[in-house]
Amino acid sequence: GEEAATDAMEIPNGEFPSYMVGKAGCHVTEMQSRSGCSIELLEDGRGGRAAVRRVHLTGTRDQRTAARERQVARRCAAAAA
Protein backbone atom coordinates (compact mmCIF):
# COMPACT_ATOMS: atom_id res chain seq x y z
CA GLY A 1 0.00 0.00 0.00
CA GLU A 2 0.87 3.63 -0.18
CA GLU A 3 3.12 4.97 2.56
CA ALA A 4 1.87 7.72 4.82
CA ALA A 5 3.23 11.21 4.29
CA THR A 6 2.64 14.57 5.95
CA ASP A 7 1.26 17.71 4.32
CA ALA A 8 1.04 21.12 5.96
CA MET A 9 -1.73 23.64 5.56
CA GLU A 10 -2.60 26.88 7.31
CA ILE A 11 -5.86 28.04 8.83
CA PRO A 12 -6.75 31.48 10.17
CA ASN A 13 -5.87 31.97 13.83
CA GLY A 14 -8.33 33.35 16.38
CA GLU A 15 -11.56 31.39 16.82
CA PHE A 16 -10.89 28.94 13.98
CA PRO A 17 -8.45 26.62 15.82
CA SER A 18 -10.74 26.26 18.84
CA TYR A 19 -13.74 25.58 16.61
CA MET A 20 -11.76 23.07 14.58
CA VAL A 21 -10.58 21.12 17.63
CA GLY A 22 -13.88 21.27 19.52
CA LYS A 23 -14.59 20.62 23.17
CA ALA A 24 -12.16 17.98 24.48
CA GLY A 25 -10.99 17.41 20.90
CA CYS A 26 -14.35 16.08 19.68
CA HIS A 27 -14.24 17.79 16.27
CA VAL A 28 -10.66 16.84 15.42
CA THR A 29 -11.36 13.26 16.55
CA GLU A 30 -14.39 13.11 14.25
CA MET A 31 -12.40 14.59 11.32
CA GLN A 32 -9.65 12.03 11.86
CA SER A 33 -12.17 9.20 11.99
CA ARG A 34 -13.95 10.32 8.81
CA SER A 35 -10.78 10.92 6.80
CA GLY A 36 -8.48 8.23 8.25
CA CYS A 37 -5.84 10.96 8.50
CA SER A 38 -3.95 12.14 11.57
CA ILE A 39 -4.61 15.87 12.10
CA GLU A 40 -2.25 17.89 14.28
CA LEU A 41 -2.82 21.57 15.02
CA LEU A 42 0.51 23.18 15.88
CA GLU A 43 1.04 26.03 18.32
CA ASP A 44 1.59 29.35 16.57
CA GLY A 45 4.75 30.15 18.56
CA ARG A 46 3.60 33.71 19.11
CA GLY A 47 1.26 33.35 22.05
CA GLY A 48 -1.85 33.34 19.87
CA ARG A 49 -0.88 36.50 17.98
CA ALA A 50 0.09 34.92 14.65
CA ALA A 51 -2.34 35.43 11.75
CA VAL A 52 -2.39 31.73 10.86
CA ARG A 53 -1.93 28.33 12.50
CA ARG A 54 -0.22 25.42 10.77
CA VAL A 55 -2.00 22.09 10.56
CA HIS A 56 -0.16 18.83 9.77
CA LEU A 57 -2.10 16.11 7.95
CA THR A 58 -0.51 12.64 8.00
CA GLY A 59 -1.84 9.71 5.98
CA THR A 60 -2.08 8.39 2.45
CA ARG A 61 -2.70 10.85 -0.38
CA ASP A 62 -6.43 10.05 -0.37
CA GLN A 63 -6.64 10.43 3.40
CA ARG A 64 -4.82 13.79 3.32
CA THR A 65 -7.07 15.02 0.52
CA ALA A 66 -10.19 13.93 2.42
CA ALA A 67 -8.97 15.66 5.57
CA ARG A 68 -8.01 18.88 3.78
CA GLU A 69 -10.97 19.26 1.43
CA ARG A 70 -13.85 17.60 3.21
CA GLN A 71 -13.05 18.00 6.87
CA VAL A 72 -10.73 20.91 7.75
CA ALA A 73 -12.01 23.25 5.01
CA ARG A 74 -15.65 22.49 5.90
CA ARG A 75 -15.00 23.09 9.61
CA CYS A 76 -13.31 26.44 8.87
CA ALA A 77 -16.14 27.48 6.56
CA ALA A 78 -18.68 26.67 9.28
CA ALA A 79 -16.71 28.72 11.79
CA ALA A 80 -16.67 31.69 9.43
CA ALA A 81 -20.46 31.58 8.92
Side-chain angles (χ1 to χ4, degrees), residues 30-38 58-60 63-64 66-67 71:
E30 177 185 349
M31 290 187 292
Q32 291 178 130
S33 176
R34 288 178 184 254
S35 67
C37 185
S38 172
T58 303
T60 65
Q63 290 170 333
R64 294 188 319 267
Q71 300 300 321

Side-chain angles (χ1 to χ4, degrees), residues 10-14 16-17 44 46 48-54:
E10 293 180 336
I11 63 169
N13 209 352
F16 289 93
D44 69 16
R46 299 189 62 200
R49 295 185 311 273
V52 296
R53 291 278 293 272
R54 184 169 289 250

